[in-house]
Amino acid sequence: MQRDIATFPFPPEQKRQLLEAGFQTVSDLLEVSPIELAKELGVSNEDALEILEVVKGKDGDEGAVAGSKKSLGTRSMSALEKLKEEQELTSVITFCEELDDILGGGVPMTKITEMCGVPGIGKTQLCMQLAVDVQIPAVFGGCEGEAVYVDTEGSFMVDRVIDIAQGTVTHCQHITGIENNPEHKEAMDGFTVESILSKIYVYRCSDYLQLLATVILLPEFLQSHTKVKLVVIDSVAFHFRSNFDDMASRTRILNGLAQNLIKMATQFQLAVVLTNQMTTRFRSDVRGQSQLVPALGESWGHASTIRVILFWENNQRFARLYKSPSKKDATVPYQITMDGVRSVSTECPDVNAVATETPVAAASLQATSQECHTETEAEMTPMKNPRKRVRSDD
């Protein structure tokens, strides 16, 4: 039975506006966007968002408790029980062994992981890689899940996802050929590029209101798509770095966004990955030096459980674990190849750096790489588990 709007703790004036506009129960508001509601009630977009968040959030809580076995927070649990529960969850690998190691085996479930970096460093590439990797079958050590990809910048490229998916499928086929395991062969029957693309649900948000509305409505989507194990927002900063004169209002909205995301991560036991941009901070000391720091201010730094800084050094990409509750700070190299994110090979040139090389240079490096791979092919054995090191030639 749907809850009546009159039973929510709204001010009398807001209740009157909602009832006069024809909104009697929660179901009347399920398909209404914040902009549409603001026009119907004659209120600001922010007020409309708050109304939807209260209504859909509370209704979502009740539905989740009643219908989802994954729901957390419905009872108290001991620290030992929580430890065992988290250990049973499979992390999402990045296909870079060193990056997975500093994260504790990959991007963890029930946590918010933030990837920060300058343009071209590979944030979107890493997100697309994770959206593919979360679907790796369980027999290969994967999550065998699905992904939701919230694109705020228009940078999600299906053609690039196809490249990454093909590289992942090819790698798993190598494992299957070596192992000759019937379970592997059976899993590969349903693990194709087409199946991977069909399990990445893409939302395009052109302003911050659409982003907030999408996050508010996602729990309802997740209840009907129980295999989703990863939610990506690329990027969280894009719409919040302009058109905000009231910084206090922006901070308040961002804090609400963060609370919704961490609630979603724990309730549905999935990984949330955000990308963030970098900005310049000028120090007030005598030297007046500046440094690059993640955007959205210091208060936003508390939103994520894990924060990774991606940066360039001597034409090499590096990832630094900047914030983690359980792992020490560490910095590791990684590379972007035609197959996606990979460990840096010490045997072959840094090839297929899609974001930095010209077509001619890339073709030259590719030819060099093929020669190198041909010479060592007989000595190489595809890894048995994707959680081990993945070479650029796999």
Side-chain angles (χ1 to χ4, degrees):
M1 182 175 179
Q2 288 290 342
R3 181 174 175 179
D4 291 336
I5 294 298
T7 63
F8 285 90
F10 294 128
E13 179 62 19
Q14 280 190 350
K15 287 184 180 180
R16 182 188 64 79
Q17 291 172 327
L18 286 164
L19 294 174
E20 288 182 353
F23 300 110
Q24 303 289 332
T25 65
V26 171
S27 60
D28 297 331
L29 288 170
L30 290 180
E31 302 299 328
V32 179
S33 70
I35 296 177
E36 291 172 340
L37 183 60
K39 290 180 180 179
E40 288 281 349
L41 303 183
V43 298
S44 67
N45 292 334
E46 287 76 10
D47 288 341
L49 268 174
E50 290 180 1
I51 292 173
L52 289 175
E53 186 172 4
V54 171
V55 172
K56 297 178 181 179
K58 286 185 177 294
D59 189 66
D61 285 348
E62 294 169 0
V65 171
S68 175
K69 294 182 179 180
K70 299 180 184 179
S71 178
L72 298 181
T74 56
R75 65 176 182 85
S76 63
M77 63 172 63
S78 69
L80 180 60
E81 288 176 322
K82 188 169 181 61
L83 174 63
K84 290 180 179 179
E85 186 176 69
E86 291 184 353
Q87 287 177 339
E88 291 175 356
L89 300 175
T90 304
S91 300
V92 186
I93 63 170
T94 66
F95 258 64
C96 172
E97 181 191 17
E98 293 78 12
L99 181 54
D100 288 335
D101 286 345
I102 66 173
L103 290 173
V107 175
M109 298 292 173
T110 72
K111 305 289 190 299
I112 296 180
T113 303
E114 185 180 21
M115 303 291 179
C116 311
V118 297
I121 193 61
K123 301 187 296 296
T124 297
Q125 302 278 334
L126 182 54
C127 287
M128 291 188 290
Q129 180 74 62
L130 291 171
V132 171
D133 292 350
V134 74
Q135 302 183 46
I136 293 175
V139 293
F140 293 101
C143 302
E144 201 167 336
E146 299 176 353
V148 169
Y149 200 109
V150 181
D151 179 16
T152 68
E153 301 185 19
S155 55
F156 182 85
M157 299 174 60
V158 177
D159 289 344
R160 183 65 184 129
V161 177
I162 291 174
D163 292 337
I164 296 172
Q166 186 59 63
T168 304
V169 170
T170 300
H171 175 74
C172 291
Q173 287 174 342
H174 278 309
I175 299 174
T176 303
I178 294 297
E179 291 292 306
N180 196 26
N181 187 324
E183 291 185 353
H184 289 172
K185 293 180 179 179
E186 182 179 353
M188 288 306 300
D189 290 339
F191 189 58
T192 64
V193 173
E194 290 76 14
S195 70
I196 290 173
L197 294 178
S198 69
K199 295 174 183 176
I200 301 176
Y201 307 103
V202 183
Y203 289 82
R204 177 71 175 97
C205 298
S206 57
D207 57 48
Y208 80 93
L209 287 173
Q210 289 186 0
L211 173 60
L212 296 177
T214 299
V215 172
I216 291 172
L217 293 172
L218 265 181
E220 182 181 350
F221 177 85
L222 295 173
Q223 287 182 36
S224 59
H225 294 76
T226 57
K227 289 188 176 182
V228 172
K229 299 293 185 182
L230 173 71
V231 172
V232 172
I233 299 181
D234 180 28
S235 72
V236 71
F238 187 70
H239 295 309
F240 287 99
R241 297 191 68 184
S242 60
N243 302 324
F244 266 96
D245 297 326
D246 187 353
M247 291 296 104
S249 174
R250 188 185 81 162
T251 300
R252 196 161 54 248
I253 292 172
L254 282 171
N255 287 340
L257 175 65
Q259 290 172 6
N260 282 332
L261 290 173
I262 190 61
K263 180 180 178 182
M264 184 192 308
T266 54
Q267 177 179 318
F268 294 97
Q269 295 190 344
L270 51 79
V272 174
V273 174
L274 314 175
T275 67
N276 194 0
Q277 301 169 353
M278 304 293 283
T279 188
T280 303
R281 174 190 292 170
F282 292 93
R283 295 181 179 176
S284 58
D285 57 15
V286 178
R287 293 177 294 176
Q289 294 180 340
S290 62
Q291 61 178 150
L292 283 175
V293 297
L296 301 180
E298 293 184 0
S299 61
W300 176 253
H302 300 285
S304 59
T305 313
I306 299 168
R307 174 175 271 186
V308 178
I309 306 294
L310 308 178
F311 63 95
W312 290 99
E313 186 172 306
N314 298 326
N315 294 322
Q316 172 63 58
R317 290 180 170 90
F318 285 89
R320 176 193 173 193
L321 183 61
Y322 181 79
K323 174 189 175 185
S324 172
S326 58
K327 300 294 179 182
K328 63 180 181 181
D329 288 3
T331 301
V332 297
Y334 69 98
Q335 65 175 331
I336 307 294
T337 74
M338 287 301 293
D339 290 336
V341 178
R342 295 292 186 269
S343 298
V344 176
S345 174
T346 57
E347 300 172 359
C348 301
D350 184 5
V351 299
N352 303 323
V354 296
T356 58
E357 301 294 342
T358 65
V360 174
S364 176
L365 283 174
Q366 181 66 38
T368 304
S369 174
Q370 289 174 348
E371 293 176 2
C372 180
H373 295 164
T374 301
E375 292 173 359
T376 59
E377 185 175 355
E379 302 173 5
M380 292 167 47
T381 301
M383 52 177 267
K384 298 180 180 180
N385 190 319
R387 298 184 177 279
K388 302 297 183 181
R389 180 167 181 172
V390 182
R391 306 172 65 109
S392 60
D393 44 19
D394 281 343

